[in-house]
Amino acid sequence: MTNSTVPAVKLAGVMKRFGNFAALSDVNLDIAAGEKVVICGPSGSGKSTLIRCINHIEQHDGGEISVNGIRLDRSAASVAKVRSVTGMVFQNFNLFPHMTVLENCTLAPRSTLKLSRAKAEAQAMELLSKVRIGDQARKYPGQLSGGQQQRAAIARSLCMQPKIMLFDEPTSALDPEMVKEVLETMKALAGEGMTMICVTHEMGFAREVADRVVFMDRGSIMEQGRPDAFFSNPHTDRARQFLSQIIH
């Protein structure tokens, strides 16, 4: 850990319901600063709900969530503080189609971080070059491939200088040939020490990058461990069944 013993993310007894459906049931999870955690599990297991609760896209109904030492409650102030230290990358890019890639990347830094236009654009160009699409900066999202759009979305999140990056199935909407370029970008980010929480079915990525794999089913964490142990010797029948279906 880089910051004493304060976890980057702490979930204690977290609950989330949608009507009568328990999406999350008593979830407990500590993630250290600099740790790379992959969350996997079958569809409907609560993976995306969990990651969306961390930055209050979904509001948890019970338990406690702390991010970078900030307790997330229902107040607008706590939500703003948590979002100031987290970046989120979604399945479907969520870029503004009427803005160029550069404008997408400079909007929030200028309005929220109060960066000057020149400084925001310089930062954006540096990060777009880092994810290997600096030459696409003046184009609109619709002119880019899916892989390029997702890398633009990653750069946009990095422009807010987050301490923690959250990825919600970032490659699931991509054609297979575009998946690799996005995963390579994420691997490079991991190599720089960024705290990362990734919901993904890309088990090759989990093997190579994750410090820990968390397996969820029916709204609960069923097991967790280092990738080598999880993939070679899962402890639960449910994890064994899941792995047998996705690893051929």
Side-chain angles (χ1 to χ4, degrees), residues 181-203:
E181 62 192 49
V182 172
L183 292 179
E184 289 297 330
T185 298
M186 293 169 64
K187 288 175 189 175
L189 189 58
E192 296 176 1
M194 173 68 75
T195 307
M196 296 170 63
I197 308 172
C198 308
V199 171
T200 184
H201 289 299
E202 299 292 339
M203 295 297 99

Side-chain angles (χ1 to χ4, degrees), residues 34-61:
E35 192 175 11
K36 288 80 184 157
V37 174
V38 165
I39 303 175
C40 63
S43 179
S45 60
K47 312 180 298 294
S48 289
T49 300
L50 176 63
I51 205 169
R52 291 165 72 89
C53 282
I54 290 172
N55 70 345
H56 204 72
I57 292 173
E58 297 287 356
Q59 181 175 295
H60 60 295
D61 300 319

